[in-house]
Amino acid sequence: MSTLDWLVLVLTLLGIVAFGTWRSRGVHTTESFLRAGKDIRWWTIGLSVIATQASAITFLSVPGQAYQDGLGFVQFYFGLPIAMVLLSAIALPVYHRLRVYTAYEYLEQRFDRRTRQFTALIFLVSRGLASGLAIYAPALVLSAVLGWPVLWTNWALGAVTIAYTVAGGSRAVSRTQTAQMAVIFVGLLLAFGMAVSLLPSGFSFGQGVALAGALGKLQGVEPSLRLDTRYTLWSGLLGGLFVQLSYFGTDQSQVQRYLAGGPLAESRRGLLMNGLLKVPMQLFILFIGVMVFIVYQLTPPPLFFNRAELELVRASHPAEVAALETTHARLFAEKRQAIDAWLANPGEVSAVRDAEARVQELRKETGELVARARPGADPKDADFIFLRFVLDHFPRGLIGLLVAVILSAAMSANSAALSSLGATTVVDFYRPRHPDASDATTLAVARWATGAWGVVAVSFGTFASLLDNLIQAVNVIGSLFYGPMLGVFLVGFFLVRVGGRAAFWATVAGQIAVLAAARFGTLGFLWYTVLGCAVVVGLAPLLQRIWSPPSPLPTGEST
């Protein structure tokens, strides 16, 4: 990066941190560390909720996902607006009335402590793993920009994130996320504008969109009923609904954002704001990836988007890399001719599709060479597509801003996740065992727990390069755990006759069922949440009838 890029990057990040530090000064008690404050308004809550979900992975992996598979990933979010309405009507009033710090406190009041702590443990494991991926993603950015080893970059970024979160707590997270989202929105608009400006002279935006459609990149809805297909209309509406209900209703990283201390009306408006903005935002990010795809149909793309990895392979296998590059140049020229012929006769697109298929097959061969030449190296380059596009084509200054966007998202999501992990550890495990601990001691434990979970997350992030695509990996991890979590909350809200013993063992059974399906079955991962939830909701009342006669609980405990 140029000096101007570094100046833009450093000033942007320092400005965000300074703003958050100034707005969150005075965090000296457990209450202020775990809650953001009663003066949080709905737009701050809404932006905080969006920022917590929109990690750096969103801006690295989602464009790459669209480049390879088109807009279909947006179906994952189709259930989100419905989830926001349901949570605002059902879960929020319960949480606010009970004035809980974590969602899992409700489960002890409704069932018993072991149900509360088992569910909290599921959250700790799932969020701890997902946080590792969210820390690894921006490490890819700095590694590619600076040439640093990914491993050390991962640990350096993790250390900064841990220090920032331990110092500021939940209040710093919520305040800072407002500024971070402003930077993110500006960066996205500029990225889209730059992609459009890179279209060759004489080739219009409309023609680019038509080309993307002809190559299948604009199919955003797949009405198939197949359960082994990852993204369909029905998996998004049903499976995605269950995932979003679980994530926003039972995952403490989100619950902590909208239970930050504001009144019920503010929390509701914040959630509904997320429901209105998230799908269009995600579709826009995907469309940026489609625009990158269009640009690289008209100008030569890299043979392999992970430039650093390709150069290492070139050093040991120069002849093979040179041969692949020669073939790549020939295939691109053939595809460019096919596109010119298609422009003259838009009805004939088969030649373009065949040419693109040959290019993709060559990219696959390149990945196989990387895997052979460097055992343990990542043969996939989808997560590097957008980053390489930015570094190769954007002007000075704008590169620094786009890197700041990615790092801002990383700071935002990671700090929220680590804050929620520390809060859950203290509220759901430490406090019940040490009810007489002083506030100073509890605050110290909260800070130490937050830092410890940061170390766990960074350690897991070390292995992230072994995964196919980061955004899919994060969603798969969530789907493995969210179903049983959602199920036990639904049992608590609606099945008033079910007691703690039945709820606990049904939750255990639901988690085992999901892990077994993932290990031995072929079910698409979006359906894992549906499966886990269905097992818990279906089994809990059955176990209750087996173990004890039905006995209704007081209404106040079940609504």
Side-chain angles (χ1 to χ4, degrees):
M1 293 200 307
S2 68
T3 302
L4 178 59
D5 289 316
W6 279 110
L7 184 63
V8 171
L9 172 62
V10 172
L11 290 179
T12 301
L13 295 183
L14 285 179
I16 290 172
V17 173
F19 174 79
T21 302
W22 174 66
R23 292 299 305 271
S24 59
R25 58 195 183 280
V27 177
H28 304 300
T29 65
T30 304
E31 171 75 18
S32 60
F33 188 81
L34 299 180
R35 293 185 187 272
K38 295 182 179 181
D39 57 339
I40 298 294
R41 300 302 303 274
W42 64 269
W43 56 83
T44 300
I45 294 173
L47 290 174
S48 183
V49 168
I50 296 172
T52 297
Q53 190 178 27
S55 68
I57 295 175
T58 300
F59 305 100
L60 287 173
S61 282
V62 171
Q65 175 86 9
Y67 185 98
Q68 292 189 314
D69 301 323
L71 300 180
F73 180 66
V74 74
Q75 296 169 110
F76 174 78
Y77 295 94
F78 280 179
L80 187 144
I82 304 172
M84 297 302 96
V85 173
L86 292 176
L87 290 173
S88 296
I90 299 170
L92 267 178
V94 176
Y95 294 155
H96 270 268
R97 189 182 71 248
L98 298 177
R99 294 197 53 79
V100 296
Y101 283 87
T102 73
Y104 318 111
E105 288 182 90
Y106 160 76
L107 295 178
E108 180 169 354
Q109 298 186 44
R110 173 62 178 85
F111 296 120
D112 53 32
R113 180 168 296 178
R114 67 175 178 175
T115 303
R116 166 190 180 179
Q117 293 188 333
F118 180 70
T119 309
L121 180 63
I122 294 176
F123 161 73
L124 292 174
V125 173
S126 62
R127 184 49 49 194
L129 296 180
S131 296
L133 300 184
I135 291 174
Y136 173 78
L140 288 176
V141 177
L142 290 188
S143 176
V145 172
L146 303 177
W148 295 351
V150 176
L151 177 63
W152 292 109
T153 308
N154 183 61
W155 279 98
L157 278 175
V160 172
T161 303
I162 292 168
Y164 167 78
T165 309
V166 169
S170 180
R171 186 176 182 84
V173 171
S174 293
R175 294 298 190 184
T176 306
Q177 283 176 327
T178 304
Q180 288 164 335
M181 284 307 300
V183 172
I184 288 170
F185 283 137
V186 170
L188 288 175
L189 291 172
L190 290 174
F192 176 76
M194 281 301 304
V196 173
S197 71
L198 289 170
L199 293 176
S201 176
F203 193 91
S204 69
F205 173 74
Q207 289 174 317
V209 173
L211 176 61
L215 292 174
K217 300 301 180 181
L218 298 183
Q219 184 176 355
V221 177
E222 169 56 60
S224 171
L225 294 174
R226 293 180 57 185
L227 297 180
D228 59 348
T229 300
R230 269 183 173 171
Y231 305 116
T232 69
L233 172 64
W234 308 109
S235 70
L237 284 175
L238 184 58
L241 171 62
F242 276 73
V243 171
Q244 306 302 342
L245 284 173
S246 303
Y247 178 51
F248 290 98
T250 70
D251 188 306
Q252 181 60 23
S253 66
Q254 281 292 357
V255 173
Q256 191 170 0
R257 304 277 62 79
Y258 58 75
L259 293 186
L264 175 59
E266 297 293 308
S267 296
R268 276 180 168 156
R269 290 172 184 155
L271 274 184
L272 294 176
M273 172 185 173
N274 178 57
L276 289 173
L277 292 183
K278 182 61 179 179
V279 177
M281 174 182 168
Q282 203 69 26
L283 182 61
F284 183 63
I285 297 172
L286 284 166
F287 193 72
I288 290 175
V290 172
M291 288 302 305
V292 173
F293 174 81
I294 295 170
V295 170
Y296 280 137
Q297 300 309 296
L298 305 169
T299 58
L303 172 64
F304 196 68
F305 285 93
N306 187 342
R307 176 187 291 167
E309 200 65 62
L310 183 63
E311 292 307 313
L312 291 173
V313 174
R314 188 193 305 275
S316 59
H317 296 71
E320 292 181 67
V321 173
L324 288 170
E325 288 178 331
T326 299
T327 304
H328 186 246
R330 176 177 58 81
L331 292 179
F332 175 79
E334 293 174 357
K335 182 172 66 172
R336 194 66 177 87
Q337 291 178 354
I339 291 174
D340 290 339
W342 170 79
L343 289 172
N345 181 17
E348 182 53 53
V349 74
S350 59
V352 180
R353 291 175 178 170
D354 292 342
E356 173 61 15
R358 290 192 290 271
V359 171
Q360 293 305 316
E361 184 61 30
L362 185 69
R363 291 189 64 226
K364 182 180 179 181
E365 292 179 20
T366 305
E368 292 171 350
L369 173 61
V370 170
R372 292 197 311 270
R374 289 178 43 77
D378 185 6
K380 310 289 185 180
D381 64 347
D383 292 321
F384 292 85
I385 290 174
F386 182 62
L387 176 61
R388 178 71 181 272
F389 178 73
V390 169
L391 294 177
D392 286 351
H393 295 287
F394 282 30
R396 294 179 180 179
L398 190 53
I399 292 177
L401 180 61
L402 264 295
V403 174
V405 166
I406 296 171
L407 295 184
S408 293
M411 291 167 55
S412 173
N414 293 336
S415 60
L418 297 184
S419 175
S420 67
L421 289 166
T424 301
T425 302
V426 168
V427 173
D428 295 299
F429 291 94
Y430 178 78
R431 271 184 173 176
R433 290 171 172 79
H434 303 85
D436 298 324
S438 67
D439 187 74
T441 300
T442 304
L443 176 60
V445 172
R447 293 186 188 277
W448 278 104
T450 301
W453 277 110
V455 173
V456 170
V458 176
S459 299
F460 178 71
T462 304
F463 301 98
S465 62
L466 303 178
L467 302 172
D468 185 0
N469 179 273
L470 292 177
I471 189 67
Q472 290 193 45
V474 168
N475 291 325
V476 169
I477 288 175
S479 296
L480 287 174
F481 298 100
Y482 282 155
M485 292 171 64
L486 176 60
V488 71
F489 276 89
L490 291 179
V491 170
F493 291 145
F494 298 111
L495 302 183
V496 298
R497 297 177 181 275
V498 175
R501 184 184 180 192
F504 173 78
W505 287 109
T507 306
V508 172
Q511 187 60 69
I512 293 174
V514 172
L515 295 177
R519 176 64 180 85
F520 303 108
T522 60
L523 195 65
F525 77 85
L526 278 178
W527 297 104
Y528 294 164
T529 306
V530 180
L531 172 64
C533 182
V535 169
V536 177
V537 173
L539 186 59
L542 178 61
L543 292 178
Q544 182 66 33
R545 288 182 176 275
I546 292 173
W547 285 330
S548 62
S551 56
L553 295 173
T555 304
E557 295 185 19
S558 60
T559 60

